Amino acid sequence: TSVAWGPKGELASGSRDKTVKVWDLSTGTAKSSLTGHTNRDRSVAWGPKGELASGSYDDTVKVWDPDKGVKKSSLSGHMGTVASVAWGPNGE
C-alpha cells in the first residue's frame, strides 16, 4: 500500500484491494477508482503532468490518466513485485 500527493493537491492511494483511488479530500470520497492490477498495489507516484504510475505485486507498472479514469499503458516484464515507482524531473 502507498499514498502520494498529486500536483493539484489530490491524494492517490494504492491498496490490497487491487485498486488505485484518487480522493476528494473535501468530501472524503473517491473521485476515481482505477482498476487493472491483478494483485495488490505496492506503490503510486504522480507525474508532473498529472498522470499517475502504480507498481504492483502482479509484476507490472501501470500508467493512468486519473482525470479520465483510464489506464494509459501497462508495462510488464519484471520477474517479481514492482516495489517502487517514481518519475524523473522531465516526466520520464
Side-chain angles (χ1 to χ4, degrees):
T1 47
S2 176
V3 296
W5 290 102
K8 301 177 207 166
E10 62 274 79
L11 184 71
S13 63
S15 176
R16 290 178 181 222
D17 69 2
K18 307 175 196 169
T19 67
V20 174
K21 293 192 186 317
V22 178
W23 297 93
D24 180 335
L25 298 180
S26 65
T27 64
T29 60
K31 291 173 29 176
S32 60
S33 183
L34 308 170
T35 60
H37 283 295
T38 60
N39 203 334
R40 65 187 183 185
D41 299 306
R42 179 74 173 92
S43 180
V44 294
W46 288 95
K49 298 176 185 169
E51 62 274 73
L52 189 60
S54 60
S56 171
Y57 282 88
D58 68 5
D59 310 341
T60 67
V61 173
K62 305 232 186 279
V63 179
W64 309 91
D65 180 332
D67 292 330
K68 294 180 181 175
V70 297
K71 178 177 54 179
K72 293 175 67 174
S73 62
S74 183
L75 310 170
S76 59
H78 287 284
M79 299 301 289
T81 299
V82 179
S84 183
V85 292
W87 293 88
N90 294 328
E92 301 166 336

